[in-house]
Amino acid sequence: MTNFEANTVLFQNKQSGFSLIELMMVLAVVAIFATVAIPSYQSTIQNGRLTSQTNELIGALYYARSEAVKIRSDVQICKSNDGLSCDSGLNWQDGWLVWNDADGDGAVDETEILRVGSEAEGQISVFATMDEVTFSNRGLSSLSGTWQLCDSRGVSKAKAIVISPSGRVRSSETTHLGGSLTCS
């Protein structure tokens, strides 16, 4: 047998691939990374949902204010789960409705609806000190108040939206009176 033939036989007998021990080590490393990463990822998702819901409500409030100034008439935002009428018995996480009472009858007509917000996603609760807010044709708010947005993590991760009588809307870590958030 020549040297070339001997090397060819050795090369053919050499197996390629991973041993069982190598595969088990890789699986152990992957399991450790997954154990660390999954809780962090879930927290990131919850933070994103809470921020998204906060921004959606802030956007609706600014929209109502700008529409009131634009059309030179009062515009209201209220709780609604059907997008057709205001319902003070609901919670803000059930949805909301921006509308202009063009005919002055105090009731929402289909032609008066400006924007509809859907139910909050991700088990977010929205607590507020008011059932509805009216913006005047000058952009002023009918009242000041706070919306508190909470998820399953409670007060430690809660967000607040504060509205002032001037109509200014802002995100906050406290209520409109400067108190702590309560999530209830």
Side-chain angles (χ1 to χ4, degrees):
M1 185 185 303
T2 67
N3 249 353
F4 177 73
E5 291 172 340
N7 286 339
T8 304
V9 170
L10 285 175
F11 181 72
Q12 288 174 350
N13 288 338
K14 192 173 191 179
Q15 295 185 8
S16 61
F18 298 105
S19 71
L20 182 59
I21 292 173
E22 291 170 329
L23 288 174
M24 294 300 285
M25 292 299 290
V26 168
L27 286 175
V29 169
V30 168
I32 290 169
F33 283 138
T35 303
V36 171
I38 289 175
S40 176
Y41 183 67
Q42 288 173 339
S43 179
T44 301
I45 289 172
Q46 287 177 310
N47 288 341
R49 285 183 180 152
L50 201 54
T51 299
S52 175
Q53 189 63 38
T54 302
N55 291 340
E56 185 176 342
L57 190 51
I58 287 173
L61 290 162
Y62 272 123
Y63 174 77
R65 182 182 189 201
S66 70
E67 284 298 303
V69 172
K70 184 172 99 177
I71 64 177
R72 295 188 172 120
S73 179
D74 289 356
V75 172
Q76 295 179 334
I77 182 168
C78 62
K79 300 181 278 187
S80 174
N81 64 351
D82 62 6
L84 299 172
S85 63
C86 295
D87 186 346
S88 62
L90 297 173
N91 294 311
W92 283 96
Q93 71 260 15
D94 297 327
W96 45 263
L97 175 69
V98 176
W99 65 290
N100 166 251
D101 192 9
D103 58 12
D105 66 355
V108 180
D109 298 325
E110 201 170 316
T111 58
E112 298 173 329
I113 297 171
L114 302 174
R115 187 172 284 177
V116 176
S118 59
E119 182 177 357
E121 294 182 21
Q123 299 176 350
I124 294 174
S125 300
V126 184
F127 307 99
T129 57
M130 72 294 279
D131 291 328
E132 66 181 26
V133 176
T134 302
F135 290 96
S136 72
N137 60 356
R138 293 179 43 209
L140 303 176
S141 171
S142 59
L143 46 84
S144 60
T146 305
W147 286 266
Q148 298 180 64
L149 292 89
C150 304
D151 60 15
S152 60
R153 298 173 294 173
V155 173
S156 65
K157 298 293 182 177
K159 294 186 178 274
I161 300 170
V162 173
I163 187 168
S164 67
S166 68
R168 181 175 181 253
V169 178
R170 62 183 172 86
S171 182
S172 178
E173 300 296 321
T174 62
T175 68
H176 66 288
L177 299 174
S180 299
L181 302 181
T182 61
C183 288
S184 59

